[in-house]
Amino acid sequence: MDEKSVMIGVAVGVLVLLSPVILYWTVALLDTSGIDCYLPDALFMAVSSLVPVLIVCSLSLLVMRHYNRPNEWIKKRLTFVAVFLFAALFVLLAVIGFV
């Protein structure tokens, strides 16, 4: 494993670890703006989980582009991160019972 791969792993790992904080602020923002009144519970949890996934994947894409990784490599890794993170955050919201 080269130095660039380690730096990408550290950056993406930190972003994934910060995603519950982003999720908390997303739920708070959507709740105070009144959007939760118009969305059913499951859809509200899906939208709330999708926002941190988009933020983490966008920033991860910038890191991976910075280290000149091939497009197929980036697509494969970001798909895995997005699916895993969305499922984890959705389950976290369901278990904690924000909705």
Side-chain angles (χ1 to χ4, degrees):
M1 185 177 271
D2 61 340
E3 182 180 326
K4 291 180 180 181
S5 295
V6 172
M7 291 302 295
I8 290 172
V10 167
V12 173
V14 167
L15 289 171
V16 167
L17 289 175
L18 287 176
S19 63
V21 175
I22 300 169
L23 177 67
Y24 173 79
W25 287 105
T26 302
V27 170
L29 177 70
L30 293 177
D31 189 37
T32 57
S33 65
I35 293 175
D36 63 331
C37 298
Y38 302 107
L39 298 175
D41 292 343
L43 186 59
F44 179 74
M45 289 191 312
V47 169
S48 298
S49 299
L50 189 62
V51 171
V53 169
L54 293 174
I55 292 170
V56 168
C57 287
S58 299
L59 294 175
S60 298
L61 176 68
L62 293 176
V63 170
M64 292 177 189
R65 287 280 185 198
H66 176 73
Y67 288 109
N68 297 324
R69 292 297 179 190
N71 286 337
E72 287 301 317
W73 188 89
I74 292 173
K75 188 184 302 183
K76 185 177 174 184
R77 299 307 187 270
L78 282 182
T79 302
F80 175 74
V81 168
V83 169
F84 170 76
L85 192 58
F86 180 78
L89 293 176
F90 190 84
V91 168
L92 179 67
L93 279 178
V95 168
I96 292 176
F98 271 112
V99 181

